[in-house]
Amino acid sequence: MRYFIQFAYNGTHYHGWQFQPNASSVQETLNKALSVLLNAPINAMGAGRTDTGVHAQEMYAHFDFDTAIDIPVLVHKLNSYLPKDIAIFDIIVVHDDAHCRFDATKRTYEYHINTVKNPFLEELSWYFNQKLDVALMNEAAQILLNHTDFQCFSKVNTDVNTFDCTIFEAYWKIENNKLVFTISANRFLRNMVRAIVGTLINIGLHKISLTDLEDIIASKSREKAGFSVPAHGLYLTEIYYDYIIK
């Protein structure tokens, strides 16, 4: 039987989602907990990878187990066993061919910037206090919706078949002393959101223009795009599947 597991994590103390031989990862931590509590070797497949320090307000993984699971009991046991920076929300029975990575139809990320120094947000938001032209940044964000090839925002030497992504929405919103960027797409390239945010910030600082953004996208060159903002301000916030009702 195949199960989806819905969970969240604070990525501060992890080297991303994916297992790494010499570093702590969310995948390794979750696999260990599932294997101990189910008394069987479990290897959970994630809906995607997040880099070191990136957080997830909603993440999915799937795993296979031969027998029926008492879901409320396992959720409770997992939350008791796992460290405080990983929380399990639900476990869902799905069809045997369901795949948490390939079946996702939309993913949403947020990038959080705090404009006033706040020690309680030090690892959860990027402190940046320079004046930004947010209206112009929102104009630039709408330009992204007109394109599909985002090689210029991808980490170089990435093993992918295509750099095409369909962006459904992209916008900035001011929330008190915070600036939040939201972006949704059918898929994302490695480092794509952080590179987009860095480029949009350069526009907000009037270092580059809207025309420059068009030229950067057309160039397909990572060197021409903006800097990559720090990982600790980035959150994976939602993943959508046609067969999971929210």
Side-chain angles (χ1 to χ4, degrees):
M1 299 177 67
R2 178 154 293 183
Y3 297 88
F4 271 30
I5 183 166
Q6 181 194 30
F7 58 104
Y9 55 86
N10 178 326
T12 301
H13 301 296
Y14 298 99
H15 288 255
W17 154 260
Q18 192 163 337
F19 175 80
Q20 297 184 45
N22 300 310
S24 177
S25 69
V26 179
Q27 184 179 33
E28 178 186 23
T29 305
L30 181 60
N31 283 347
K32 179 181 177 182
L34 286 167
S35 298
V36 168
L37 295 175
L38 293 175
N39 195 30
I42 301 294
N43 183 23
M45 166 70 71
R49 64 175 69 180
T50 55
D51 291 335
T52 299
V54 175
H55 316 291
Q57 293 178 348
E58 180 180 71
M59 177 63 154
Y60 284 89
H62 73 248
F63 66 94
D64 297 326
F65 191 64
D66 290 340
T67 59
I69 291 173
D70 189 327
I71 289 174
V73 170
L74 183 57
V75 169
H76 175 75
K77 287 183 176 180
L78 282 168
N79 280 322
S80 299
Y81 186 94
L82 287 163
K84 60 185 178 181
D85 49 14
I86 301 177
I88 306 301
F89 299 140
D90 199 5
I91 297 174
I92 304 160
V93 181
V94 293
H95 58 277
D96 290 344
D97 294 327
H99 198 289
C100 65
R101 179 183 174 189
F102 299 134
D103 292 355
T105 56
K106 183 170 77 167
R107 296 171 170 85
T108 300
Y109 282 88
E110 290 181 359
Y111 194 84
H112 291 220
I113 296 173
N114 55 305
T115 57
V116 175
K117 189 175 182 180
N118 185 336
F120 301 105
L121 295 176
E122 180 63 27
E123 295 176 334
L124 300 173
S125 181
W126 181 40
Y127 172 51
F128 186 85
N129 66 350
Q130 295 184 51
K131 183 175 177 59
L132 292 168
D133 187 338
V134 178
L136 188 62
M137 290 161 66
N138 266 323
E139 286 188 52
Q142 291 309 296
I143 289 174
L144 299 173
L145 276 63
N146 300 327
H147 296 271
T148 55
D149 187 330
F150 294 106
Q151 184 173 353
C152 66
F153 298 125
S154 173
K155 193 170 184 176
V156 296
N157 300 322
T158 298
D159 184 20
V160 293
N161 294 323
T162 176
F163 293 98
D164 284 355
C165 308
T166 300
I167 296 179
F168 304 118
E169 61 179 355
Y171 61 89
W172 292 89
K173 186 176 181 181
I174 299 173
E175 300 176 354
N176 297 320
N177 294 323
K178 291 187 71 176
L179 184 58
V180 179
F181 177 64
T182 300
I183 184 167
S184 298
N186 66 328
R187 64 190 289 266
F188 288 92
L189 305 167
R190 290 193 66 188
N191 202 57
M192 177 175 166
V193 179
R194 292 165 61 194
I196 286 175
V197 172
T199 305
L200 296 183
I201 285 175
N202 281 341
I203 288 175
L205 293 170
H206 295 162
K207 290 184 176 181
I208 61 174
S209 68
L210 298 182
T211 301
D212 290 332
L213 176 59
E214 295 276 12
D215 293 341
I216 288 168
I217 296 172
S219 76
K220 302 184 181 182
S221 171
R222 179 66 188 91
E223 291 183 357
K224 295 185 181 299
F227 65 103
S228 181
V229 291
H232 62 269
L234 184 60
Y235 294 76
L236 173 60
T237 59
E238 283 191 287
I239 305 176
Y240 300 82
Y241 301 93
D242 291 338
Y243 44 78
I244 294 180
I245 300 174
K246 297 185 179 182

